[in-house]
């Protein structure tokens, strides 16, 4: 089974993901489902934890070998950034449990590839004003802040996570992260523990 966390930028999903993975009853039971990206690594990120950071040459090679499950490209102010999941034999949702982060589009492609019973969507939501404050605070900490890219992502999320697209993906359960992070973590962790019974 793959527990797949999604949400708009700066909704807190990376923090929630890491905290939930450490929760009692979950720690050690879920393998990280780490996808790949060609975007530059941000301050504080670790290769193989948030993403496998790679380049377009490696992506092209995986495409030629037919190993791409899902792929998306964002035209950023710094050029194209690709995010993708490869079928390299690491993922076996029938016999093992995983925990990943992605988008609605990648969720649907993984669901279609592995089958609906093996994908459990975890949609994290936060108020737009709160998200904007968090995004700005995070960007200010970067060595070279990318404010234009931050704004592009913020605006693109309105379309990427529209109510229509959420309904099309069949997602009914949502988790709010508007208050204390620990409250959202507790709610998500309880949901996952119940599914693992």
């Amino acid at each position: 089974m793959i527990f797949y966390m999604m949400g708009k930028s700066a909704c807190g999903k990376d923090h929630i993901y890491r905290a939930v993975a450490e929760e009692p009853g979950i720690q050690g039971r879920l393998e990280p489902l780490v996808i790949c990206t060609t975007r530059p690594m941000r301050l504080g990120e670790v290769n193989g934890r948030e993403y496998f950071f790679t380049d377009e040459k490696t992506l092209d090679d995986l495409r030629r070998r037919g190993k791409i499950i899902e792929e998306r490209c964002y035209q950023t102010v710094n050029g194209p950034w690709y995010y993708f999941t490869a079928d390299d034999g690491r993922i076996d949702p029938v016999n093992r449990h995983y925990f990943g982060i992605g988008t609605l589009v990648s969720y649907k492609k993984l669901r279609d590839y592995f089958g609906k019973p093996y994908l459990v969507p975890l949609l994290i939501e936060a108020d737009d004003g709160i998200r904007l404050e968090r995004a700005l605070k995070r960007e200010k900490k970067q060595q070279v802040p990318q404010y234009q890219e931050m704004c592009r992502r913020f605006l693109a999320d309105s379309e990427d996570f529209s109510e229509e697209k959420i309904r099309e993906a069949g997602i009914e359960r949502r988790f709010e992260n508007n208050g204390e992070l620990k409250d959202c973590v507790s709610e998500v962790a309880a949901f996952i523990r119940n599914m693992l019974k």
Side-chain angles (χ1 to χ4, degrees):
M1 188 178 306
I2 300 172
F3 293 92
Y4 205 66
M5 189 171 286
M6 300 160 280
K8 296 177 180 178
S9 60
C11 71
K13 60 187 175 291
D14 293 327
H15 295 291
I16 294 165
Y17 173 88
R18 286 194 292 270
V20 167
E22 299 292 320
E23 282 282 304
I26 294 175
Q27 187 177 27
R29 295 183 68 189
L30 302 179
E31 296 179 42
L33 180 70
V34 182
I35 66 170
C36 304
T37 184
T38 63
R39 79 153 167 78
M41 191 183 307
R42 291 187 185 129
L43 186 68
E45 290 181 326
V46 176
N47 190 38
R49 185 179 69 191
E50 286 83 11
Y51 297 98
F52 286 112
F53 294 92
T54 188
D55 55 27
E56 287 187 46
K57 183 180 176 192
T58 302
L59 173 58
D60 287 339
D61 179 58
L62 289 165
R63 279 189 197 122
R64 278 193 297 277
R65 294 178 14 220
K67 297 292 186 181
I68 301 298
I69 297 172
E70 62 85 23
E71 169 188 346
R72 55 220 180 271
C73 178
Y74 298 100
Q75 295 300 329
T76 76
V77 296
N78 299 304
W81 288 350
Y82 293 88
Y83 294 78
F84 61 94
T85 306
D87 182 2
D88 55 7
R90 292 181 303 117
I91 307 169
D92 177 13
V94 176
N95 298 302
R96 291 156 52 191
H97 299 302
Y98 300 89
F99 195 16
I101 300 178
T103 66
L104 275 176
V105 172
S106 62
Y107 162 75
K108 290 193 297 187
K109 289 186 178 181
L110 286 166
R111 180 199 61 198
D112 294 346
Y113 188 85
F114 290 113
K116 188 175 180 179
Y118 298 107
L119 266 288
V120 179
L122 305 168
L123 181 62
I124 307 299
E125 296 186 316
D127 174 78
D128 284 346
I130 293 171
R131 288 180 42 245
L132 191 55
E133 288 175 10
R134 290 174 182 162
L136 186 57
K137 184 177 178 182
R138 177 176 68 190
E139 205 58 43
K140 284 181 176 180
K141 292 178 182 176
Q142 300 303 310
Q143 206 167 20
V144 180
Q146 303 285 329
Y147 297 116
Q148 287 180 323
E149 175 56 20
M150 180 199 80
C151 292
R152 184 206 62 79
R153 286 181 65 211
F154 188 85
L155 295 172
D157 281 340
S158 294
E159 184 177 329
D160 293 346
F161 285 92
S162 69
E163 285 300 317
E164 181 182 347
K165 289 182 180 178
I166 291 169
R167 276 193 307 276
E168 283 174 8
I171 296 173
E172 297 172 6
R173 183 70 169 89
R174 303 173 189 213
F175 302 89
E176 286 192 13
N177 184 28
N178 290 320
E180 293 290 325
L181 183 72
K182 64 179 176 55
D183 295 335
C184 187
V185 168
S186 295
E187 192 178 354
V188 173
F191 178 81
I192 292 174
R193 277 192 294 265
N194 189 54
M195 293 288 293
L196 290 172
K197 286 182 181 176

